[in-house]
Amino acid sequence: MNREEEITRTFVELADTLVEDVDAGALQHHLAVRCREILDIADAAVLLACEDRRLYSPAPRDPSPALSTLLDVAVREGPAADAYRTAATVYPGDLAETPGAWPGFTARARDAGYTHAAAVALRRRQETLGSLLLLSTAAAPLPAADLALAQAFADATTISLLHARALQQADTVNDQLRTALRSRVLIEQAKGILAVRRNISPDDAFTALRRHARHHHLRLVTVAQEVIDNQDLPQPRSAARPPGRDSPAE
């Protein structure tokens, strides 16, 4: 398979995640592996942003010793951190000429044997999820065409990650709605049972349910379930219901 075919295959694989369950960890690993295979680099790593906007590095599945020693500092300074903050490509090129603001990153990268570094943002419109760090041990810098291709891979990955997040949020909302609906059904059933049992209106039955729940520090749906199970409001544990008599309405 030639390089063009590999590039096409990579985009197809990234697009496939839009119609399947997305494993975010596998997707990030796949992006790093594909960059190493297709681009003229030694290592690649994905750095993502936490809710507090600090970067972290998801544990690579097959990190080289050199990469492992670099990621701890790369989340704080260096091209990946700057690419995330600016949502732009950062390409200092030769690590012998990196900005003075990166002393820790530069020293550790050069000690690990890397000669060039670059990073592109994982971005989609106004949202930036993190960055993709690219590291080389070659004598020449990464070609501009390869850097543009890395950005295209990063953009495709970002779309997939946003898609995965949207699906997860939708699942959470659906679960909450199902729980709310089930709770509403239980409460309505309990109201009907209590209204018939005590010969009171549905509104008065609901008031009794709510008063009992508040008095005993219980969730309303918990009291409703007990009414359904026992056909009346539950009795306090310390008090037994007199046989043959209903408890008074709350």
Side-chain angles (χ1 to χ4, degrees):
M1 187 177 295
N2 61 37
R3 190 171 189 265
E4 288 70 23
E5 290 172 334
E6 287 285 355
I7 292 171
T8 301
R9 174 187 170 193
T10 299
F11 280 117
V12 170
E13 290 169 345
L14 292 174
D16 280 346
T17 62
L18 297 179
V19 293
E20 299 175 356
D21 292 335
V22 179
D23 182 337
L27 184 63
Q28 296 154 32
H29 172 73
H30 182 70
L31 173 62
V33 169
R34 282 303 195 194
C35 285
R36 289 199 302 268
E37 292 174 346
I38 296 173
L39 307 178
D40 185 20
I41 59 173
D43 273 317
V46 174
L47 287 77
L48 297 177
C50 303
E51 291 185 1
D52 61 4
R53 298 187 61 80
R54 290 186 298 176
L55 284 179
Y56 74 98
S57 175
R61 299 189 179 185
D62 54 352
S64 66
L67 181 60
S68 296
T69 63
L70 186 59
L71 290 179
D72 287 344
V73 68
V75 299
R76 299 187 301 274
E77 65 176 67
D82 283 5
Y84 167 66
R85 283 193 289 266
T86 63
T89 298
V90 176
Y91 189 32
D94 193 333
L95 285 171
E97 302 174 0
T98 55
W102 302 351
F105 173 85
T106 300
R108 193 169 295 189
R110 294 181 67 184
D111 288 345
Y114 298 118
T115 56
H116 295 81
V120 298
L122 294 174
R123 67 183 183 216
R124 178 64 176 170
R125 297 191 176 94
Q126 302 302 314
E127 190 158 12
T128 306
L129 303 186
S131 59
L132 170 64
L133 177 63
L134 307 168
L135 299 160
S136 173
T137 56
L142 189 69
D146 280 5
L147 197 58
L149 181 57
Q151 182 65 73
F153 285 162
D155 290 345
T157 302
T158 302
I159 293 172
S160 293
L161 290 173
L162 289 172
H163 177 71
R165 187 169 71 183
L167 288 178
Q168 185 178 33
Q169 291 172 343
D171 287 343
T172 299
V173 170
N174 287 336
D175 287 343
Q176 292 171 342
L177 289 175
R178 283 192 291 268
T179 298
L181 179 59
R182 180 177 181 276
S183 297
R184 186 72 261 170
V185 170
L186 290 176
I187 291 168
E188 291 298 322
Q189 289 178 343
K191 280 171 53 179
I193 291 171
L194 204 59
V196 172
R197 175 80 173 179
R198 299 190 174 189
N199 195 25
I200 56 178
S201 70
D203 287 345
D204 288 341
F206 179 72
T207 299
L209 285 169
R210 184 171 57 187
R211 183 182 299 131
H212 186 95
R214 289 177 176 174
H215 181 73
H216 295 284
H217 307 290
L218 298 170
R219 295 176 63 235
L220 185 59
V221 69
T222 300
V223 176
Q225 185 63 66
E226 292 205 36
V227 169
I228 293 170
D229 293 341
N230 302 310
Q231 299 297 296
D232 204 349
L233 285 171
Q235 293 298 303
R237 294 181 182 277
S238 58
R241 177 184 299 177
R245 295 181 58 189
D246 292 339
S247 60
E250 298 269 331

